[in-house]
Amino acid sequence: MSNKSQTLLDIFQEILAASGNSSDSKSINESHILSVLKEQASRGRSENLGSILVKVVSDVQNKLNLSIKTDTCGYCDGDFRDVVEAYNGIHGYVSLIVCTIGVLANTMNVAVLTRRDMAAAPINRLLKWLAVADVFVMLEYVPFSIYKYLVLPEKLDFPYSWAMYLLFHMHFAQILHTASICLTLSLAIWRYVAIKYSDRSHILCTEKRCSIAILTSFILPPILCIPTFMVFDIHTKNVTDVHGNPDIAYHVDSDNQGRLYQVNFWVHAVLIKLLPCSILTVISLWLIRALYSANQHQKNLRNYSACPAAEKMVKRQHKADKRTDRTTKMLLAVLLLFLVTELPQGILGLMSGLLGWCFFKRCYDLFGELMDFLALLNGAINFILYCSMSRQFRQTFRQLLLQRHLARFLPPTASHSESHNQNT
């Protein structure tokens, strides 16, 4: 027996001795070693099977003075990788908290935005369906998170039913998240048209066109996601269970060869992510400039008003402008939050298409949980934005919570002019 083989046997004997299962070298086989390794991993809560195997490989490398060539392309290395991986370890718990809060918050959004004095505004209809899409995304993410991050690490089992659900989760979440992107883009374009062409907004921003925008936002995503449907599928891998018996593990993976794989990344990165982000960036900058111009116009009017009649008219116009600005600021906050969430995903997807499979596995997979967290947070925080930036939303929400006999003690709801203002 060579020295290296003897050293390997000594290391495995140490593993067996540490587990209390000492044995002679002739009885050591693959199933025996795997069984002991998994038993060791199950004893220590702070260590899993992967960390123990890493220690074993490191021990072998040191004792045999081996230089093991790692299959890495050098992407996404550095101290930040440890930070991201540390978050990935707690993502399951964080995502469950965000999803629980997000489902409750978006349910309240839908309840408020469907009230009679709110539902008439096309902007509110778009916001309502955006909340509906976010509710379903978060509801579906809860069982996925529970099984993947809480159940699966303990079971080390990959049945066919889990692979089927994982494939469904991937497509369902992507379709609804793409629908949210389309609705957000519709919000931005709607507000741009209403302010840019304010004299014709009652003609351009109609109920019928709002319905078409909502319907298109839910029809277009399945079409855009067709390349993803064709690239990802269920794959099998022959493994050995804890008892040494042959078993099959089912997992979802993509075929990283061929033109369709590249097409999928370009569609996902450019059409679904970067193109909407680019349009939203331009519109957001225009809205910021419009707000600045409106503030300057209000200052000029206040300085110009000299007679009492003119001052009264200026005050009335000033109130209407403030309502318009509040709505614009609220939508601008929604758009900017969306950009912070979606732009990094689009850049990573584009680089995965340009740099290939290695970058995707080293970087896109690494930041996957963090990007999921940002997307979930984006859907959960809108309720806070609406409450903090819309007086009409706050008043309607208060009336919704309190009993009918207490409603008369509340301040009156927003005037018809404010409701009409939000229509555009």
Side-chain angles (χ1 to χ4, degrees):
M1 183 181 294
S2 66
N3 292 333
K4 290 185 178 181
S5 298
Q6 184 60 49
T7 304
L8 285 173
L9 283 175
D10 292 341
I11 292 173
F12 290 138
Q13 286 285 8
E14 292 177 9
I15 296 173
L16 294 173
S19 65
N21 297 304
S22 59
S23 174
D24 65 321
S25 60
K26 294 181 180 180
S27 65
I28 298 178
N29 54 34
E30 180 184 358
S31 62
H32 194 186
I33 294 169
L34 286 175
S35 177
V36 172
L37 284 173
K38 290 182 178 181
E39 182 183 349
Q40 286 288 94
S42 64
R43 288 180 180 179
R45 293 187 177 272
S46 61
E47 292 182 324
N48 54 24
L49 179 59
S51 63
I52 291 179
L53 286 174
V54 168
K55 291 180 181 179
V56 171
V57 172
S58 178
D59 198 10
V60 172
Q61 185 178 0
N62 293 332
K63 290 191 176 182
L64 298 181
N65 196 22
L66 295 176
S67 178
I68 300 177
K69 184 179 179 181
T70 57
D71 185 18
T72 179
C73 45
Y75 295 123
C76 297
D77 286 329
D79 296 337
F80 73 92
R81 188 178 186 88
D82 296 331
V83 176
V84 176
E85 288 178 343
Y87 168 75
N88 292 345
I90 63 172
H91 173 72
Y93 302 98
V94 174
S95 63
L96 286 176
I97 295 173
V98 174
C99 285
T100 303
I101 297 173
V103 168
L104 294 175
N106 281 291
T107 302
M108 289 187 287
N109 285 341
V110 174
V112 173
L113 294 171
T114 51
R115 300 281 287 185
R116 182 179 300 176
D117 54 342
M118 299 284 287
I123 282 287
N124 291 339
R125 290 181 60 196
L126 290 168
L127 292 175
K128 177 191 70 177
W129 284 105
L130 179 61
V132 170
D134 289 336
V135 164
F136 280 102
V137 167
M138 294 180 187
L139 280 176
E140 192 277 333
Y141 199 89
V142 169
F144 164 77
S145 182
I146 291 174
Y147 190 83
K148 180 177 180 180
Y149 298 105
L150 303 183
V151 177
L152 194 60
E154 298 292 334
K155 293 180 62 175
L156 294 174
D157 187 22
F158 301 90
Y160 183 77
S161 57
W162 162 247
M164 283 289 294
Y165 174 72
L166 187 61
L167 192 63
F168 165 77
H169 161 77
M170 179 185 300
H171 296 326
F172 181 84
Q174 183 169 352
I175 288 174
L176 281 184
H177 191 63
T178 306
S180 297
I181 294 173
C182 293
L183 288 169
T184 305
L185 191 60
S186 300
L187 276 171
I189 296 174
W190 195 275
R191 196 60 185 170
Y192 171 80
V193 171
I195 296 178
K196 181 74 173 177
Y197 307 99
S198 57
D199 55 335
R200 290 186 292 162
S201 61
H202 62 286
I203 300 174
L204 298 175
C205 302
T206 61
E207 291 284 337
K208 182 179 179 180
R209 291 185 177 180
C210 180
S211 299
I212 292 174
I214 293 171
L215 191 62
T216 304
S217 298
F218 285 97
I219 293 177
L220 191 59
I223 300 174
L224 293 176
C225 295
I226 287 177
T228 304
F229 302 155
M230 301 174 68
V231 167
F232 287 91
D233 200 0
I234 297 176
H235 296 249
T236 60
K237 184 178 181 180
N238 295 323
V239 295
T240 305
D241 62 15
V242 293
H243 303 293
N245 301 318
D247 198 3
I248 298 177
Y250 298 91
H251 62 102
V252 175
D253 207 343
S254 62
D255 183 7
N256 60 335
Q257 304 295 330
R259 190 179 300 275
L260 189 60
Y261 173 79
Q262 297 292 333
V263 169
N264 175 60
F265 268 110
W266 283 100
V267 170
H268 183 265
V270 177
L271 288 182
I272 298 180
K273 299 291 183 181
L274 292 181
L275 181 60
C277 286
S278 301
I279 297 174
L280 288 176
T281 301
V282 174
I283 293 178
S284 298
L285 292 175
W286 188 90
L287 290 176
I288 292 172
R289 191 180 70 174
L291 285 173
Y292 177 78
S293 300
N295 289 333
Q296 292 297 116
H297 178 66
Q298 292 169 16
K299 289 180 180 178
N300 293 336
L301 284 177
R302 286 195 296 268
N303 294 332
Y304 176 76
S305 59
C307 62
E311 186 176 353
K312 196 172 186 179
M313 184 182 65
V314 167
K315 285 184 178 180
R316 190 181 302 115
Q317 181 65 34
H318 177 62
K319 289 182 180 179
D321 290 342
K322 284 187 68 176
R323 287 191 292 268
T324 302
D325 291 349
R326 278 199 301 267
T327 305
T328 303
K329 288 177 181 178
M330 182 187 73
L331 295 178
L332 186 59
V334 173
L335 300 184
L336 293 178
L337 183 63
F338 173 86
L339 284 175
V340 172
T341 302
E342 300 299 328
L343 191 58
Q345 295 186 40
I347 294 174
L348 281 175
L350 179 62
M351 294 179 69
S352 297
L354 292 174
L355 301 178
W357 177 253
C358 186
F359 182 87
F360 174 76
K361 297 302 291 184
R362 290 282 299 171
C363 299
Y364 201 94
D365 280 0
L366 173 67
F367 290 99
E369 280 84 357
L370 188 59
M371 290 189 293
D372 282 353
F373 166 73
L374 290 176
L376 294 172
L377 185 64
N378 179 31
I381 206 171
N382 284 337
F383 177 77
I384 299 175
L385 292 178
Y386 302 159
C387 283
S388 61
M389 305 186 75
S390 173
R391 185 178 64 181
Q392 187 184 18
F393 187 93
R394 289 194 303 270
Q395 291 175 344
T396 307
F397 179 60
R398 288 169 61 191
Q399 291 181 358
L400 187 66
L401 289 181
L402 298 177
Q403 299 294 332
R404 288 182 177 272
H405 66 276
L406 294 178
R408 62 178 179 271
F409 297 107
L410 292 172
T413 57
S415 62
H416 175 73
S417 60
E418 180 171 350
S419 180
H420 173 73
N421 212 359
Q422 288 202 12
N423 288 348
T424 55

